[in-house]
Amino acid sequence: MTDLIRCTWTGMADPLYIAYHDDEWGRPVRGDDQVYERVTLEAFQSGLSWLTILRKRENFRAAFDGFSIAKVAAYTEHDVERLLADPGIVRNRAKVEAAIGNARAAQDLPVGLSELVWRYADPDAPVPKAMADVPATTPGSVALAKELKRHGFRFVGPTTAYALMQAIGLVNDHIEGCVARVRPA
């Protein structure tokens, strides 16, 4: 199995990273709570390694009530303090408060979060031949970030929006020949 081609960002070393790449990244994710989880984790990742977030993902899920939008939107200052004291997650006040605010914003959307985000899908994006061909932002991610911000979301700039788009399958940025690109979802 060493002759398999994978996107080089996996580093090819950590089994958790490889499993995420092979089985999750770029696969369609739908459902408001499921998309909210990814928005939240991408925001927490800002400035950190994605592997750090992956290693803490189960802790995040426990700390944020399974990323239930309704539950997180009801959080109080007590919950903010509880989260900031939780060593199993990234303890950054601005990101914790953004996660709660984003749940409230998601609750107030005229359409669900999943539907709003999936409007920006780009199934016809060019197939990257190498990681150097993968952009950090696109006009679609700029537009998605702008739309989310218009609805009150925070920590969702164009780069974070593009990472979200990649992670949940709005675009398929697995490089040409990558095992995860050629295997059906």
Side-chain angles (χ1 to χ4, degrees):
M1 288 253 182
T2 56
D3 58 341
L4 294 176
I5 296 172
R6 285 192 176 88
C7 301
T8 55
W9 60 259
T10 64
M12 303 301 288
D14 191 293
L16 182 63
Y17 223 22
I18 292 169
Y20 174 74
H21 168 270
D22 290 0
D23 301 327
E24 290 186 60
W25 191 72
R27 305 247 183 233
V29 173
R30 294 185 187 266
D32 292 341
D33 290 346
Q34 293 79 7
V35 171
Y36 169 69
E37 174 181 351
R38 298 300 182 89
V39 168
T40 303
L41 293 177
E42 291 294 346
F44 270 98
Q45 183 274 329
S46 181
L48 302 171
S49 158
W50 181 246
L51 188 54
T52 298
I53 301 303
L54 273 180
R55 288 179 176 151
K56 293 177 177 274
R57 182 163 56 172
E58 290 309 316
N59 296 332
F60 272 105
R61 286 176 173 160
F64 282 91
D65 286 301
F67 291 101
S68 163
I69 291 171
K71 289 179 181 177
V72 177
Y75 281 7
T76 66
E77 184 59 33
H78 171 76
D79 293 294
V80 171
E81 296 306 320
R82 171 184 59 80
L83 291 165
L84 291 174
D86 187 337
I89 67 167
V90 173
R91 296 177 289 178
N92 176 300
R93 181 176 291 278
K95 291 177 182 182
V96 166
E97 290 175 348
I100 296 166
N102 290 351
R104 292 174 182 152
Q107 233 178 9
D108 292 340
L109 289 172
V111 297
L113 179 59
S114 183
E115 183 179 325
L116 183 143
V117 168
W118 273 91
R119 290 177 181 170
Y120 295 88
D122 188 3
D124 299 322
V127 176
K129 296 194 183 316
M131 291 311 298
D133 298 330
V134 177
T137 65
T138 63
S141 74
V142 171
L144 174 57
K146 184 177 180 179
E147 183 68 7
L148 288 169
K149 287 180 181 182
R150 187 173 76 78
H151 288 286
F153 284 77
R154 293 179 279 167
F155 275 93
V156 289
T159 302
T160 299
Y162 196 65
L164 172 70
M165 293 171 73
Q166 293 171 307
I168 68 171
L170 273 67
V171 295
N172 184 347
D173 275 346
H174 287 286
I175 61 170
E176 184 175 82
C178 175
V179 65
R181 176 174 276 284
V182 298
R183 185 175 55 212

